[in-house]
Amino acid sequence: MSNIPAEVEVLRLSTEKIIELIRQTRNTLIEFYQEDEAIRAYFSEHYGLEKVSAIKNEFLKRDLKELWSAPVDLVHYAALIKEIKDSGNVAIINQVQHQQRFVQEISALFKKYTY
């Protein structure tokens, strides 16, 4: 999902740079889910819904756009920020447990439209 190579040197990054990296990674995922086919596939795979109304689809896209422009939830990403800060290794953002943080944030929006 991210474009950070695994062999990235260990760097000392400011907290602001780490937060920006997290925002960019989150927003890349959000951009992926702006496509109707990606939305349909997500609902099908996670909730067994083969069809979602056009209204729900548009409201979800609106929520995704709002999240895209929103600041990073520092509480949600605190462990990741700390781990990058402590290790200086930005490649850990690609680890499964950290990728799940990004998915959890997006999933909360999808869940709103499963009723």
Side-chain angles (χ1 to χ4, degrees):
M1 180 173 3
S2 181
N3 297 333
I4 301 170
E7 64 277 353
V8 169
E9 286 183 41
V10 174
L11 304 170
R12 289 293 161 214
L13 298 172
S14 69
T15 303
E16 293 78 22
K17 292 279 188 196
I18 294 168
I19 292 168
E20 180 59 23
L21 173 66
I22 290 170
R23 189 186 70 73
Q24 289 171 354
T25 303
R26 178 199 68 185
N27 287 354
T28 298
L29 183 61
I30 291 170
E31 287 170 5
F32 173 77
Y33 283 113
Q34 286 292 322
E35 300 297 323
D36 291 336
E37 183 54 32
I39 292 172
R40 190 207 58 76
Y42 188 94
F43 277 120
S44 176
E45 181 180 333
H46 291 89
Y47 298 106
L49 300 173
E50 293 303 319
K51 183 154 174 65
V52 178
S53 74
I55 292 171
K56 286 182 182 181
N57 200 44
E58 289 307 310
F59 275 109
L60 175 59
K61 284 182 179 182
R62 182 207 61 201
D63 287 353
L64 288 166
K65 282 182 183 178
E66 288 175 3
L67 181 59
W68 189 88
S69 60
V72 168
D73 180 346
L74 298 177
V75 173
H76 183 74
Y77 292 103
L80 177 56
I81 293 167
K82 181 178 180 347
E83 192 170 339
I84 292 172
K85 187 84 169 158
D86 291 348
S87 71
N89 183 358
V90 296
I92 65 171
I93 207 165
N94 294 322
Q95 293 175 349
V96 172
Q97 73 268 26
H98 297 305
Q99 288 295 310
Q100 287 300 329
R101 289 184 193 286
F102 296 100
V103 172
Q104 287 170 347
E105 192 172 24
I106 304 296
S107 294
L109 295 179
F110 276 88
K111 190 172 185 173
K112 286 174 46 178
Y113 297 100
T114 58
Y115 57 92

